Amino acid sequence: QIQDLTFLIKSYCLTELYLNNNDLTDISGALKHLSALQILLLHNNQLKKLSKTVKELKGMISLQTLNLFHNPLAQDLDYRLYVIHFLPSVQLLDRKPVTQRERESALHLYNHKRSRVVQSIAFGKRVNTPLGTAVGSIRYTQPSRRLMMPSDNMHFLCSFCRVPFENPEDAILLRAMTRSLMEFSCIDWNKVPTCQERRLENKAEEPHEKLTVQFR
């Protein structure tokens, strides 16, 4: 039946804290100093304000396991994605592992501009989702925007111009549409005869099998 956490103010070195099945309604100012905490169980309490609760836990850079289920705040819209985005170190939330898809959806939902940059540049992978198409919640869906090219072509070609577009997002769109083409080829050298073998066999050399893959 714990309701107050002031007794934890001087406990700086805790790595595990089990406060489940109590009557906590607010943890503001009681846990933020526990930067070494790795496991925190707060399920089955009366925590109501999601933003205040998450704000209290933001300084816990080592926090990996967190339980908040069976609290009123767990009924909030997009509760799980909110926690995943603002507490990125958490790997196990409410007894369920945090997936990469959930992290991407959380980024798209709560940091839409950065999500679009990551989606458009896409270093090291191919992106099949058209730009402007929402990945997460439909509240952030935006219609595709027409690319506004600079009126002066020489100004556009000038490499010294820091912002050749009126809107920086237009530069990102153009970069996405004109990505460099990378080509990788591989060949099984065990099937390629040496110079000596070619001289001894004295027959026409068969074309080699070469696998080529292109990435844009």
Side-chain angles (χ1 to χ4, degrees):
Q1 299 178 345
I2 296 176
Q3 298 180 353
D4 183 44
L5 298 179
T6 54
F7 64 91
L8 292 172
I9 292 179
K10 296 183 179 180
S11 303
Y12 292 96
C13 299
L14 289 178
T15 57
E16 300 182 15
L17 185 57
Y18 303 88
L19 291 169
N20 49 299
N21 304 317
N22 284 292
D23 291 326
L24 297 171
T25 58
D26 190 9
I27 62 172
S28 299
L31 301 179
K32 63 175 59 178
H33 61 287
L34 301 177
S35 57
L37 207 60
Q38 299 178 13
I39 299 177
L40 177 60
L41 305 187
L42 286 168
H43 55 279
N44 287 332
N45 277 283
Q46 298 300 319
L47 300 174
K48 299 179 181 179
K49 296 185 178 180
L50 178 60
S51 58
K52 290 183 64 176
T53 301
V54 170
K55 183 179 180 180
E56 183 71 14
L57 307 181
K58 277 187 176 181
M60 301 179 182
I61 58 176
S62 301
L63 188 62
Q64 299 180 5
T65 301
L66 175 64
N67 281 357
L68 290 172
F69 63 91
H70 291 170
N71 279 286
L73 58 77
Q75 304 300 319
D76 287 12
L77 183 65
D78 297 321
Y79 144 76
R80 184 174 174 88
L81 294 182
Y82 185 91
V83 175
I84 289 173
H85 179 72
F86 290 102
L87 301 176
S89 64
V90 174
Q91 300 178 10
L92 190 67
L93 176 60
D94 293 344
R95 299 176 179 173
K96 295 181 181 179
V98 177
T99 65
Q100 182 61 30
R101 177 180 288 272
E102 287 179 319
R103 294 192 188 279
E104 293 173 356
S105 298
L107 178 64
H108 182 83
L109 189 59
Y110 294 104
N111 195 341
H112 186 61
K113 182 176 291 186
R114 181 180 177 185
S115 175
R116 288 195 64 192
V117 172
V118 173
Q119 179 189 4
S120 61
I121 297 177
F123 290 108
K125 65 178 182 179
R126 180 176 179 178
V127 177
N128 293 320
T129 306
L131 294 175
T133 301
V135 179
S137 175
I138 59 174
R139 71 179 71 179
Y140 284 93
T141 304
Q142 297 180 356
S144 57
R145 189 165 43 81
R146 184 178 179 182
L147 184 64
M148 301 300 295
M149 299 291 288
S151 57
D152 188 355
N153 292 333
M154 293 302 296
H155 177 72
F156 169 66
L157 295 175
C158 176
S159 60
F160 299 100
C161 300
R162 293 186 177 181
V163 185
F165 292 86
E166 295 181 1
N167 190 333
E169 289 189 2
D170 290 336
I172 297 174
L173 290 172
L174 181 63
R175 172 69 180 87
M177 291 185 292
T178 58
R179 297 184 189 130
S180 300
L181 187 67
M182 296 181 295
E183 180 176 299
F184 298 90
S185 300
C186 61
I187 187 171
D188 187 358
W189 290 101
N190 293 324
K191 297 181 180 180
V192 178
T194 63
C195 294
Q196 184 178 5
E197 289 174 343
R198 287 199 296 268
R199 286 197 302 268
L200 293 176
E201 293 180 3
N202 193 20
K203 63 179 181 180
E205 184 178 349
E206 298 180 358
H208 308 309
E209 296 182 358
K210 182 173 68 172
L211 177 62
T212 301
V213 182
Q214 293 182 343
F215 297 91
R216 182 176 292 279

